[in-house]
Amino acid sequence: MSYKKIVIAGGGVLGSQIAFQTAYCGFDVTIWLRSEGSAGRTQPKLDKLKETYLNAIEEMEKDPKAWCAGIADSDNFNKEECLAKTNAAYESIKLETDLAKACVDADLVIESMAENADDKTAFYKKLAGVLPEKTVIVTNSSTLLPSQFAKATGRPEKYLALHFANSIWKNNTAEIMAHDLTEKKYFDEIAEFANEIRMIGLPVNKEKSGYLLNSMLVPFLLSGLDLYVSGVSDPESIDTAWTRGTGAPKGPFQIFDTVGLTTTYNIVMQYQKVPGLLSPLLKKMMLPYNFKKMEAVLKKYIDEGKLGISSGEGFYKYK
């Protein structure tokens, strides 16, 4: 494998993280964005990520419990080298609104756009007209299957899924899932790339909406959201019940604010409209869930600009 130039399509919460981590590991990274407005919203995320990496490196030196495996190995930690890589990553990432320019000589495109099937299909069709023959495409989708979009890419054999967890500098996993037409060569190359950007590559051996992490996480999150929209309790109490009761670091509403309420809204819409995303058992479990109320509550927050940590307020307020 000889990937060098990586294009990230989308500069949202995860798109910006993938870009920063990939640049941190020495790749040539461009973020493609729909508009100058999108670029304006992405740059502050990169600013924050630089600060996050620098702070994490300082903490890693002081406290082994604060270790971030996406940044360095514990047995050969070099603080100055990590600081230099962080600064170099920040300075090297390019933002581009012209898709053709962004994709010149691209080895890999990582699509990290919102979970909207129509928007993704339109993007792939546009992308097909500007990509070099060599380029491999992966999707960071967590709920939509790659087979749904393979034809639209124009290169189904070079298309598969690579899904990251949030806060990838410390939660460094990458789920790799092919579809029936993906050539094994590209599955293996993407697994190698995941390792090169300090992720733990996790093979998903058959198509499954939700992959590994979200197959377990989404039912938990929907359960918490349903408790709130149904008037059973408030977000803080629900989060406290989970964190104090299990020792988990975050409750569902803290997670919603982290991933962003727009992403949360799109996931709710997918699970509401596409029953096939749920197993028969989960369908029975979720039958009483008030998806319509979830949709309405989330839309109200989004319309008010309360998008989560990225906007300074979601279910909680942030400085």
mmCIF file of all heavy atoms in Angstrom, residues 6-31 45-46 49 53 89 93 108-113 138-141 162-169 173-174 193-194 197 199:
data_model
loop_
_atom_site.group_PDB
_atom_site.id
_atom_site.type_symbol
_atom_site.label_atom_id
_atom_site.label_comp_id
_atom_site.label_asym_id
_atom_site.label_seq_id
_atom_site.Cartn_x
_atom_site.Cartn_y
_atom_site.Cartn_z
ATOM 1 N N ILE A 6 -4.758 11.973 1.255
ATOM 2 C CA ILE A 6 -6.047 11.565 1.797
ATOM 3 C C ILE A 6 -6.999 12.756 1.767
ATOM 4 O O ILE A 6 -6.640 13.857 2.218
ATOM 5 C CB ILE A 6 -5.916 11.071 3.260
ATOM 6 C CG1 ILE A 6 -4.729 10.105 3.400
ATOM 7 C CG2 ILE A 6 -7.223 10.447 3.723
ATOM 8 C CD1 ILE A 6 -4.815 8.851 2.577
ATOM 9 N N VAL A 7 -8.197 12.542 1.243
ATOM 10 C CA VAL A 7 -9.228 13.579 1.212
ATOM 11 C C VAL A 7 -10.347 13.172 2.167
ATOM 12 O O VAL A 7 -10.863 12.053 2.084
ATOM 13 C CB VAL A 7 -9.795 13.771 -0.209
ATOM 14 C CG1 VAL A 7 -10.937 14.790 -0.200
ATOM 15 C CG2 VAL A 7 -8.689 14.220 -1.165
ATOM 16 N N ILE A 8 -10.708 14.063 3.061
ATOM 17 C CA ILE A 8 -11.838 13.845 3.966
ATOM 18 C C ILE A 8 -13.006 14.677 3.443
ATOM 19 O O ILE A 8 -12.883 15.904 3.331
ATOM 20 C CB ILE A 8 -11.522 14.280 5.410
ATOM 21 C CG1 ILE A 8 -10.133 13.793 5.855
ATOM 22 C CG2 ILE A 8 -12.614 13.811 6.357
ATOM 23 C CD1 ILE A 8 -9.955 12.306 5.883
ATOM 24 N N ALA A 9 -14.104 14.044 3.116
ATOM 25 C CA ALA A 9 -15.289 14.757 2.640
ATOM 26 C C ALA A 9 -16.195 15.038 3.832
ATOM 27 O O ALA A 9 -16.852 14.144 4.354
ATOM 28 C CB ALA A 9 -16.029 13.936 1.586
ATOM 29 N N GLY A 10 -16.169 16.281 4.292
ATOM 30 C CA GLY A 10 -16.957 16.678 5.453
ATOM 31 C C GLY A 10 -16.066 17.048 6.623
ATOM 32 O O GLY A 10 -15.137 16.303 6.960
ATOM 33 N N GLY A 11 -16.360 18.191 7.238
ATOM 34 C CA GLY A 11 -15.537 18.674 8.349
ATOM 35 C C GLY A 11 -16.301 18.747 9.649
ATOM 36 O O GLY A 11 -16.045 19.627 10.473
ATOM 37 N N GLY A 12 -17.234 17.823 9.844
ATOM 38 C CA GLY A 12 -18.005 17.805 11.084
ATOM 39 C C GLY A 12 -17.195 17.269 12.250
ATOM 40 O O GLY A 12 -15.961 17.242 12.221
ATOM 41 N N VAL A 13 -17.882 16.815 13.278
ATOM 42 C CA VAL A 13 -17.210 16.359 14.498
ATOM 43 C C VAL A 13 -16.191 15.272 14.184
ATOM 44 O O VAL A 13 -15.014 15.358 14.542
ATOM 45 C CB VAL A 13 -18.236 15.860 15.537
ATOM 46 C CG1 VAL A 13 -17.529 15.220 16.725
ATOM 47 C CG2 VAL A 13 -19.118 17.009 16.011
ATOM 48 N N LEU A 14 -16.629 14.212 13.492
ATOM 49 C CA LEU A 14 -15.713 13.118 13.193
ATOM 50 C C LEU A 14 -14.829 13.411 11.989
ATOM 51 O O LEU A 14 -13.657 13.034 11.970
ATOM 52 C CB LEU A 14 -16.487 11.815 12.991
ATOM 53 C CG LEU A 14 -16.548 10.912 14.220
ATOM 54 C CD1 LEU A 14 -17.444 9.713 13.985
ATOM 55 C CD2 LEU A 14 -15.160 10.443 14.638
ATOM 56 N N GLY A 15 -15.371 14.088 10.979
ATOM 57 C CA GLY A 15 -14.566 14.414 9.812
ATOM 58 C C GLY A 15 -13.321 15.201 10.188
ATOM 59 O O GLY A 15 -12.210 14.914 9.726
ATOM 60 N N SER A 16 -13.482 16.197 11.051
ATOM 61 C CA SER A 16 -12.333 17.005 11.474
ATOM 62 C C SER A 16 -11.356 16.175 12.302
ATOM 63 O O SER A 16 -10.135 16.332 12.185
ATOM 64 C CB SER A 16 -12.806 18.229 12.263
ATOM 65 O OG SER A 16 -13.572 17.848 13.393
ATOM 66 N N GLN A 17 -11.874 15.274 13.131
ATOM 67 C CA GLN A 17 -10.995 14.409 13.921
ATOM 68 C C GLN A 17 -10.197 13.455 13.028
ATOM 69 O O GLN A 17 -8.983 13.259 13.238
ATOM 70 C CB GLN A 17 -11.813 13.584 14.915
ATOM 71 C CG GLN A 17 -12.415 14.375 16.044
ATOM 72 C CD GLN A 17 -13.170 13.497 17.024
ATOM 73 O OE1 GLN A 17 -12.872 12.311 17.192
ATOM 74 N NE2 GLN A 17 -14.164 14.071 17.685
ATOM 75 N N ILE A 18 -10.862 12.855 12.060
ATOM 76 C CA ILE A 18 -10.180 11.934 11.140
ATOM 77 C C ILE A 18 -9.085 12.678 10.391
ATOM 78 O O ILE A 18 -7.968 12.176 10.219
ATOM 79 C CB ILE A 18 -11.183 11.303 10.158
ATOM 80 C CG1 ILE A 18 -12.212 10.448 10.906
ATOM 81 C CG2 ILE A 18 -10.458 10.454 9.112
ATOM 82 C CD1 ILE A 18 -13.439 10.089 10.069
ATOM 83 N N ALA A 19 -9.406 13.885 9.941
ATOM 84 C CA ALA A 19 -8.421 14.693 9.216
ATOM 85 C C ALA A 19 -7.209 14.989 10.102
ATOM 86 O O ALA A 19 -6.054 14.837 9.673
ATOM 87 C CB ALA A 19 -9.058 15.991 8.736
ATOM 88 N N PHE A 20 -7.454 15.410 11.328
ATOM 89 C CA PHE A 20 -6.346 15.794 12.210
ATOM 90 C C PHE A 20 -5.487 14.576 12.552
ATOM 91 O O PHE A 20 -4.248 14.644 12.506
ATOM 92 C CB PHE A 20 -6.867 16.440 13.487
ATOM 93 C CG PHE A 20 -5.857 17.315 14.173
ATOM 94 C CD1 PHE A 20 -5.860 18.685 13.952
ATOM 95 C CD2 PHE A 20 -4.883 16.776 15.002
ATOM 96 C CE1 PHE A 20 -4.905 19.500 14.559
ATOM 97 C CE2 PHE A 20 -3.929 17.582 15.605
ATOM 98 C CZ PHE A 20 -3.935 18.943 15.386
ATOM 99 N N GLN A 21 -6.128 13.463 12.874
ATOM 100 C CA GLN A 21 -5.373 12.257 13.230
ATOM 101 C C GLN A 21 -4.548 11.759 12.048
ATOM 102 O O GLN A 21 -3.391 11.339 12.203
ATOM 103 C CB GLN A 21 -6.331 11.154 13.709
ATOM 104 C CG GLN A 21 -5.657 9.853 14.088
ATOM 105 C CD GLN A 21 -4.802 9.971 15.350
ATOM 106 O OE1 GLN A 21 -5.041 10.833 16.196
ATOM 107 N NE2 GLN A 21 -3.800 9.109 15.478
ATOM 108 N N THR A 22 -5.120 11.812 10.859
ATOM 109 C CA THR A 22 -4.422 11.353 9.659
ATOM 110 C C THR A 22 -3.228 12.252 9.350
ATOM 111 O O THR A 22 -2.138 11.772 9.014
ATOM 112 C CB THR A 22 -5.394 11.303 8.470
ATOM 113 O OG1 THR A 22 -6.513 10.454 8.806
ATOM 114 C CG2 THR A 22 -4.726 10.751 7.220
ATOM 115 N N ALA A 23 -3.416 13.562 9.492
ATOM 116 C CA ALA A 23 -2.303 14.499 9.291
ATOM 117 C C ALA A 23 -1.244 14.316 10.380
ATOM 118 O O ALA A 23 -0.036 14.399 10.098
ATOM 119 C CB ALA A 23 -2.816 15.930 9.289
ATOM 120 N N TYR A 24 -1.672 14.057 11.606
ATOM 121 C CA TYR A 24 -0.752 13.815 12.713
ATOM 122 C C TYR A 24 0.180 12.644 12.402
ATOM 123 O O TYR A 24 1.356 12.640 12.802
ATOM 124 C CB TYR A 24 -1.547 13.530 13.993
ATOM 125 C CG TYR A 24 -0.713 13.184 15.202
ATOM 126 C CD1 TYR A 24 -0.163 14.174 15.999
ATOM 127 C CD2 TYR A 24 -0.487 11.854 15.540
ATOM 128 C CE1 TYR A 24 0.603 13.861 17.108
ATOM 129 C CE2 TYR A 24 0.284 11.520 16.647
ATOM 130 C CZ TYR A 24 0.819 12.524 17.429
ATOM 131 O OH TYR A 24 1.584 12.203 18.532
ATOM 132 N N CYS A 25 -0.341 11.680 11.660
ATOM 133 C CA CYS A 25 0.447 10.495 11.312
ATOM 134 C C CYS A 25 1.224 10.663 10.013
ATOM 135 O O CYS A 25 1.758 9.688 9.463
ATOM 136 C CB CYS A 25 -0.465 9.280 11.256
ATOM 137 S SG CYS A 25 -1.135 8.817 12.878
ATOM 138 N N GLY A 26 1.280 11.881 9.491
ATOM 139 C CA GLY A 26 2.184 12.189 8.405
ATOM 140 C C GLY A 26 1.621 12.157 7.007
ATOM 141 O O GLY A 26 2.361 12.317 6.035
ATOM 142 N N PHE A 27 0.296 11.994 6.860
ATOM 143 C CA PHE A 27 -0.311 11.964 5.534
ATOM 144 C C PHE A 27 -0.646 13.377 5.061
ATOM 145 O O PHE A 27 -0.828 14.297 5.868
ATOM 146 C CB PHE A 27 -1.585 11.110 5.552
ATOM 147 C CG PHE A 27 -1.314 9.639 5.701
ATOM 148 C CD1 PHE A 27 -1.150 9.072 6.953
ATOM 149 C CD2 PHE A 27 -1.222 8.815 4.592
ATOM 150 C CE1 PHE A 27 -0.892 7.713 7.113
ATOM 151 C CE2 PHE A 27 -0.972 7.458 4.724
ATOM 152 C CZ PHE A 27 -0.803 6.907 5.996
ATOM 153 N N ASP A 28 -0.724 13.529 3.753
ATOM 154 C CA ASP A 28 -1.131 14.791 3.119
ATOM 155 C C ASP A 28 -2.655 14.831 3.131
ATOM 156 O O ASP A 28 -3.306 14.016 2.475
ATOM 157 C CB ASP A 28 -0.594 14.812 1.681
ATOM 158 C CG ASP A 28 -1.005 16.058 0.908
ATOM 159 O OD1 ASP A 28 -1.769 16.881 1.449
ATOM 160 O OD2 ASP A 28 -0.573 16.195 -0.249
ATOM 161 N N VAL A 29 -3.233 15.753 3.884
ATOM 162 C CA VAL A 29 -4.683 15.739 4.138
ATOM 163 C C VAL A 29 -5.363 17.005 3.624
ATOM 164 O O VAL A 29 -4.915 18.120 3.912
ATOM 165 C CB VAL A 29 -4.969 15.579 5.647
ATOM 166 C CG1 VAL A 29 -6.471 15.667 5.923
ATOM 167 C CG2 VAL A 29 -4.410 14.255 6.157
ATOM 168 N N THR A 30 -6.449 16.793 2.882
ATOM 169 C CA THR A 30 -7.331 17.880 2.448
ATOM 170 C C THR A 30 -8.737 17.574 2.929
ATOM 171 O O THR A 30 -9.207 16.436 2.800
ATOM 172 C CB THR A 30 -7.340 18.011 0.907
ATOM 173 O OG1 THR A 30 -6.021 18.325 0.457
ATOM 174 C CG2 THR A 30 -8.304 19.104 0.459
ATOM 175 N N ILE A 31 -9.407 18.573 3.475
ATOM 176 C CA ILE A 31 -10.825 18.435 3.830
ATOM 177 C C ILE A 31 -11.638 19.134 2.749
ATOM 178 O O ILE A 31 -11.456 20.335 2.507
ATOM 179 C CB ILE A 31 -11.156 19.046 5.199
ATOM 180 C CG1 ILE A 31 -10.268 18.446 6.292
ATOM 181 C CG2 ILE A 31 -12.631 18.825 5.539
ATOM 182 C CD1 ILE A 31 -10.489 19.080 7.665
ATOM 183 N N LYS A 45 -13.008 23.831 14.733
ATOM 184 C CA LYS A 45 -12.862 22.448 15.207
ATOM 185 C C LYS A 45 -11.403 22.026 15.157
ATOM 186 O O LYS A 45 -10.897 21.353 16.069
ATOM 187 C CB LYS A 45 -13.730 21.502 14.366
ATOM 188 C CG LYS A 45 -15.223 21.717 14.481
ATOM 189 C CD LYS A 45 -15.984 20.657 13.684
ATOM 190 C CE LYS A 45 -17.495 20.838 13.778
ATOM 191 N NZ LYS A 45 -17.966 21.989 13.010
ATOM 192 N N LEU A 46 -10.708 22.412 14.086
ATOM 193 C CA LEU A 46 -9.284 22.087 13.977
ATOM 194 C C LEU A 46 -8.474 22.837 15.032
ATOM 195 O O LEU A 46 -7.529 22.293 15.613
ATOM 196 C CB LEU A 46 -8.778 22.419 12.571
ATOM 197 C CG LEU A 46 -9.434 21.636 11.428
ATOM 198 C CD1 LEU A 46 -8.928 22.140 10.087
ATOM 199 C CD2 LEU A 46 -9.176 20.135 11.572
ATOM 200 N N LEU A 49 -8.972 20.950 18.170
ATOM 201 C CA LEU A 49 -8.266 19.671 18.164
ATOM 202 C C LEU A 49 -6.778 19.865 18.435
ATOM 203 O O LEU A 49 -6.166 19.067 19.153
ATOM 204 C CB LEU A 49 -8.477 18.964 16.824
ATOM 205 C CG LEU A 49 -9.833 18.273 16.671
ATOM 206 C CD1 LEU A 49 -10.085 17.887 15.228
ATOM 207 C CD2 LEU A 49 -9.920 17.042 17.574
ATOM 208 N N TYR A 53 -4.963 17.961 21.489
ATOM 209 C CA TYR A 53 -3.784 17.098 21.365
ATOM 210 C C TYR A 53 -2.635 17.621 22.237
ATOM 211 O O TYR A 53 -1.979 16.832 22.939
ATOM 212 C CB TYR A 53 -3.337 17.014 19.911
ATOM 213 C CG TYR A 53 -4.052 15.966 19.091
ATOM 214 C CD1 TYR A 53 -5.427 15.997 18.903
ATOM 215 C CD2 TYR A 53 -3.345 14.930 18.482
ATOM 216 C CE1 TYR A 53 -6.083 15.051 18.147
ATOM 217 C CE2 TYR A 53 -3.990 13.966 17.710
ATOM 218 C CZ TYR A 53 -5.365 14.033 17.547
ATOM 219 O OH TYR A 53 -6.007 13.076 16.792
ATOM 220 N N ALA A 89 0.670 18.835 11.921
ATOM 221 C CA ALA A 89 -0.654 18.428 11.434
ATOM 222 C C ALA A 89 -1.554 19.645 11.260
ATOM 223 O O ALA A 89 -2.216 19.817 10.227
ATOM 224 C CB ALA A 89 -1.289 17.429 12.399
ATOM 225 N N ILE A 93 -3.000 20.759 7.197
ATOM 226 C CA ILE A 93 -4.337 20.413 6.699
ATOM 227 C C ILE A 93 -4.868 21.527 5.808
ATOM 228 O O ILE A 93 -4.850 22.702 6.171
ATOM 229 C CB ILE A 93 -5.310 20.159 7.869
ATOM 230 C CG1 ILE A 93 -4.882 18.926 8.665
ATOM 231 C CG2 ILE A 93 -6.739 19.964 7.355
ATOM 232 C CD1 ILE A 93 -5.670 18.719 9.936
ATOM 233 N N LEU A 108 -6.979 8.125 -1.370
ATOM 234 C CA LEU A 108 -8.109 7.663 -0.567
ATOM 235 C C LEU A 108 -9.032 8.828 -0.259
ATOM 236 O O LEU A 108 -8.560 9.906 0.127
ATOM 237 C CB LEU A 108 -7.600 7.050 0.747
ATOM 238 C CG LEU A 108 -8.649 6.629 1.785
ATOM 239 C CD1 LEU A 108 -9.505 5.479 1.250
ATOM 240 C CD2 LEU A 108 -7.971 6.231 3.097
ATOM 241 N N VAL A 109 -10.334 8.617 -0.431
ATOM 242 C CA VAL A 109 -11.345 9.582 -0.003
ATOM 243 C C VAL A 109 -12.127 8.953 1.145
ATOM 244 O O VAL A 109 -12.645 7.836 1.012
ATOM 245 C CB VAL A 109 -12.309 9.962 -1.144
ATOM 246 C CG1 VAL A 109 -13.460 10.834 -0.600
ATOM 247 C CG2 VAL A 109 -11.570 10.699 -2.249
ATOM 248 N N ILE A 110 -12.196 9.651 2.257
ATOM 249 C CA ILE A 110 -12.983 9.202 3.407
ATOM 250 C C ILE A 110 -14.219 10.092 3.492
ATOM 251 O O ILE A 110 -14.119 11.270 3.824
ATOM 252 C CB ILE A 110 -12.176 9.290 4.715
ATOM 253 C CG1 ILE A 110 -10.895 8.460 4.608
ATOM 254 C CG2 ILE A 110 -13.027 8.823 5.898
ATOM 255 C CD1 ILE A 110 -9.980 8.575 5.821
ATOM 256 N N GLU A 111 -15.354 9.527 3.154
ATOM 257 C CA GLU A 111 -16.616 10.287 3.203
ATOM 258 C C GLU A 111 -17.116 10.291 4.645
ATOM 259 O O GLU A 111 -17.370 9.231 5.226
ATOM 260 C CB GLU A 111 -17.640 9.661 2.254
ATOM 261 C CG GLU A 111 -19.016 10.299 2.309
ATOM 262 C CD GLU A 111 -19.936 9.582 3.272
ATOM 263 O OE1 GLU A 111 -20.146 8.370 3.112
ATOM 264 O OE2 GLU A 111 -20.442 10.257 4.199
ATOM 265 N N SER A 112 -17.256 11.495 5.207
ATOM 266 C CA SER A 112 -17.713 11.640 6.585
ATOM 267 C C SER A 112 -18.794 12.710 6.647
ATOM 268 O O SER A 112 -18.687 13.681 7.395
ATOM 269 C CB SER A 112 -16.532 11.999 7.501
ATOM 270 O OG SER A 112 -16.926 11.976 8.861
ATOM 271 N N MET A 113 -19.833 12.498 5.859
ATOM 272 C CA MET A 113 -20.947 13.445 5.790
ATOM 273 C C MET A 113 -22.089 12.974 6.678
ATOM 274 O O MET A 113 -22.065 11.865 7.223
ATOM 275 C CB MET A 113 -21.393 13.589 4.331
ATOM 276 C CG MET A 113 -20.285 14.093 3.406
ATOM 277 S SD MET A 113 -20.692 13.950 1.655
ATOM 278 C CE MET A 113 -22.081 15.093 1.538
ATOM 279 N N VAL A 138 -13.902 5.217 1.075
ATOM 280 C CA VAL A 138 -14.522 4.585 2.244
ATOM 281 C C VAL A 138 -15.563 5.547 2.821
ATOM 282 O O VAL A 138 -15.459 6.761 2.671
ATOM 283 C CB VAL A 138 -13.494 4.206 3.335
ATOM 284 C CG1 VAL A 138 -12.531 3.158 2.834
ATOM 285 C CG2 VAL A 138 -12.747 5.427 3.854
ATOM 286 N N THR A 139 -16.554 4.977 3.484
ATOM 287 C CA THR A 139 -17.553 5.784 4.175
ATOM 288 C C THR A 139 -17.389 5.614 5.678
ATOM 289 O O THR A 139 -17.108 4.510 6.164
ATOM 290 C CB THR A 139 -18.983 5.395 3.767
ATOM 291 O OG1 THR A 139 -19.916 6.185 4.527
ATOM 292 C CG2 THR A 139 -19.285 3.918 4.011
ATOM 293 N N ASN A 140 -17.550 6.710 6.389
ATOM 294 C CA ASN A 140 -17.530 6.679 7.851
ATOM 295 C C ASN A 140 -18.935 6.516 8.417
ATOM 296 O O ASN A 140 -19.162 6.689 9.610
ATOM 297 C CB ASN A 140 -16.893 7.977 8.393
ATOM 298 C CG ASN A 140 -16.792 7.990 9.901
ATOM 299 O OD1 ASN A 140 -16.322 7.042 10.511
ATOM 300 N ND2 ASN A 140 -17.260 9.062 10.519
ATOM 301 N N SER A 141 -19.892 6.171 7.569
ATOM 302 C CA SER A 141 -21.263 5.973 8.031
ATOM 303 C C SER A 141 -21.320 4.925 9.133
ATOM 304 O O SER A 141 -20.562 3.945 9.117
ATOM 305 C CB SER A 141 -22.154 5.522 6.870
ATOM 306 O OG SER A 141 -23.455 5.235 7.324
ATOM 307 N N LEU A 162 -15.289 2.433 6.651
ATOM 308 C CA LEU A 162 -14.269 2.580 7.691
ATOM 309 C C LEU A 162 -14.856 3.524 8.731
ATOM 310 O O LEU A 162 -14.841 4.741 8.568
ATOM 311 C CB LEU A 162 -12.968 3.154 7.106
ATOM 312 C CG LEU A 162 -11.807 3.361 8.091
ATOM 313 C CD1 LEU A 162 -11.306 2.013 8.617
ATOM 314 C CD2 LEU A 162 -10.666 4.127 7.430
ATOM 315 N N HIS A 163 -15.379 2.954 9.802
ATOM 316 C CA HIS A 163 -16.105 3.740 10.794
ATOM 317 C C HIS A 163 -15.271 3.948 12.055
ATOM 318 O O HIS A 163 -14.759 3.001 12.643
ATOM 319 C CB HIS A 163 -17.420 3.060 11.174
ATOM 320 C CG HIS A 163 -18.151 3.776 12.262
ATOM 321 N ND1 HIS A 163 -18.306 3.254 13.523
ATOM 322 C CD2 HIS A 163 -18.733 5.013 12.289
ATOM 323 C CE1 HIS A 163 -18.964 4.123 14.279
ATOM 324 N NE2 HIS A 163 -19.226 5.188 13.561
ATOM 325 N N PHE A 164 -15.152 5.217 12.458
ATOM 326 C CA PHE A 164 -14.346 5.597 13.623
ATOM 327 C C PHE A 164 -15.231 5.875 14.831
ATOM 328 O O PHE A 164 -16.363 6.333 14.694
ATOM 329 C CB PHE A 164 -13.537 6.859 13.315
ATOM 330 C CG PHE A 164 -12.531 6.698 12.218
ATOM 331 C CD1 PHE A 164 -12.900 6.789 10.885
ATOM 332 C CD2 PHE A 164 -11.200 6.459 12.517
ATOM 333 C CE1 PHE A 164 -11.970 6.650 9.870
ATOM 334 C CE2 PHE A 164 -10.255 6.324 11.510
ATOM 335 C CZ PHE A 164 -10.644 6.411 10.178
ATOM 336 N N ALA A 165 -14.671 5.645 16.007
ATOM 337 C CA ALA A 165 -15.328 6.072 17.238
ATOM 338 C C ALA A 165 -15.041 7.548 17.454
ATOM 339 O O ALA A 165 -14.106 8.109 16.877
ATOM 340 C CB ALA A 165 -14.817 5.260 18.427
ATOM 341 N N ASN A 166 -15.837 8.202 18.286
ATOM 342 C CA ASN A 166 -15.581 9.607 18.599
ATOM 343 C C ASN A 166 -14.366 9.723 19.521
ATOM 344 O O ASN A 166 -14.029 8.795 20.252
ATOM 345 C CB ASN A 166 -16.811 10.221 19.259
ATOM 346 C CG ASN A 166 -16.761 11.725 19.277
ATOM 347 O OD1 ASN A 166 -16.493 12.375 18.273
ATOM 348 N ND2 ASN A 166 -16.986 12.304 20.443
ATOM 349 N N SER A 167 -13.692 10.891 19.479
ATOM 350 C CA SER A 167 -12.461 11.129 20.242
ATOM 351 C C SER A 167 -11.401 10.092 19.864
ATOM 352 O O SER A 167 -10.871 9.360 20.701
ATOM 353 C CB SER A 167 -12.718 11.088 21.753
ATOM 354 O OG SER A 167 -13.676 12.062 22.126
ATOM 355 N N ILE A 168 -11.075 10.056 18.561
ATOM 356 C CA ILE A 168 -10.271 8.950 18.052
ATOM 357 C C ILE A 168 -8.825 8.975 18.541
ATOM 358 O O ILE A 168 -8.142 7.961 18.455
ATOM 359 C CB ILE A 168 -10.305 8.889 16.513
ATOM 360 C CG1 ILE A 168 -9.681 10.135 15.878
ATOM 361 C CG2 ILE A 168 -11.716 8.710 16.020
ATOM 362 C CD1 ILE A 168 -9.605 10.050 14.366
ATOM 363 N N TRP A 169 -8.347 10.106 19.075
ATOM 364 C CA TRP A 169 -6.984 10.127 19.605
ATOM 365 C C TRP A 169 -6.851 9.252 20.846
ATOM 366 O O TRP A 169 -5.760 8.802 21.181
ATOM 367 C CB TRP A 169 -6.549 11.559 19.914
ATOM 368 C CG TRP A 169 -7.410 12.256 20.915
ATOM 369 C CD1 TRP A 169 -7.232 12.307 22.258
ATOM 370 C CD2 TRP A 169 -8.620 12.988 20.647
ATOM 371 N NE1 TRP A 169 -8.245 13.030 22.860
ATOM 372 C CE2 TRP A 169 -9.107 13.467 21.881
ATOM 373 C CE3 TRP A 169 -9.322 13.303 19.478
ATOM 374 C CZ2 TRP A 169 -10.280 14.232 21.980
ATOM 375 C CZ3 TRP A 169 -10.485 14.055 19.585
ATOM 376 C CH2 TRP A 169 -10.952 14.513 20.819
ATOM 377 N N THR A 173 -10.352 3.146 17.634
ATOM 378 C CA THR A 173 -10.815 1.975 16.887
ATOM 379 C C THR A 173 -11.338 2.411 15.524
ATOM 380 O O THR A 173 -11.802 3.539 15.352
ATOM 381 C CB THR A 173 -11.941 1.232 17.631
ATOM 382 O OG1 THR A 173 -13.075 2.104 17.774
ATOM 383 C CG2 THR A 173 -11.477 0.755 18.999
ATOM 384 N N ALA A 174 -11.244 1.495 14.567
ATOM 385 C CA ALA A 174 -11.772 1.737 13.224
ATOM 386 C C ALA A 174 -12.374 0.436 12.710
ATOM 387 O O ALA A 174 -11.675 -0.569 12.559
ATOM 388 C CB ALA A 174 -10.676 2.222 12.287
ATOM 389 N N PHE A 193 -4.054 0.833 6.377
ATOM 390 C CA PHE A 193 -4.129 2.286 6.577
ATOM 391 C C PHE A 193 -4.610 2.613 7.984
ATOM 392 O O PHE A 193 -4.070 3.521 8.647
ATOM 393 C CB PHE A 193 -5.073 2.903 5.542
ATOM 394 C CG PHE A 193 -5.418 4.344 5.812
ATOM 395 C CD1 PHE A 193 -4.491 5.350 5.574
ATOM 396 C CD2 PHE A 193 -6.669 4.695 6.322
ATOM 397 C CE1 PHE A 193 -4.791 6.685 5.837
ATOM 398 C CE2 PHE A 193 -6.984 6.017 6.583
ATOM 399 C CZ PHE A 193 -6.043 7.017 6.340
ATOM 400 N N ALA A 194 -5.620 1.895 8.465
ATOM 401 C CA ALA A 194 -6.131 2.127 9.819
ATOM 402 C C ALA A 194 -5.007 1.986 10.841
ATOM 403 O O ALA A 194 -4.867 2.805 11.759
ATOM 404 C CB ALA A 194 -7.269 1.161 10.132
ATOM 405 N N ILE A 197 -2.578 4.999 10.885
ATOM 406 C CA ILE A 197 -3.015 6.208 11.584
ATOM 407 C C ILE A 197 -3.335 5.901 13.054
ATOM 408 O O ILE A 197 -4.097 6.588 13.695
ATOM 409 C CB ILE A 197 -4.198 6.903 10.878
ATOM 410 C CG1 ILE A 197 -5.422 5.993 10.782
ATOM 411 C CG2 ILE A 197 -3.779 7.397 9.497
ATOM 412 C CD1 ILE A 197 -6.677 6.708 10.306
ATOM 413 N N MET A 199 -4.942 3.473 14.558
ATOM 414 C CA MET A 199 -6.211 2.900 14.957
ATOM 415 C C MET A 199 -6.070 1.388 15.125
ATOM 416 O O MET A 199 -5.185 0.769 14.533
ATOM 417 C CB MET A 199 -7.283 3.173 13.902
ATOM 418 C CG MET A 199 -7.598 4.641 13.667
ATOM 419 S SD MET A 199 -8.337 5.499 15.076
ATOM 420 C CE MET A 199 -6.934 6.488 15.634
#
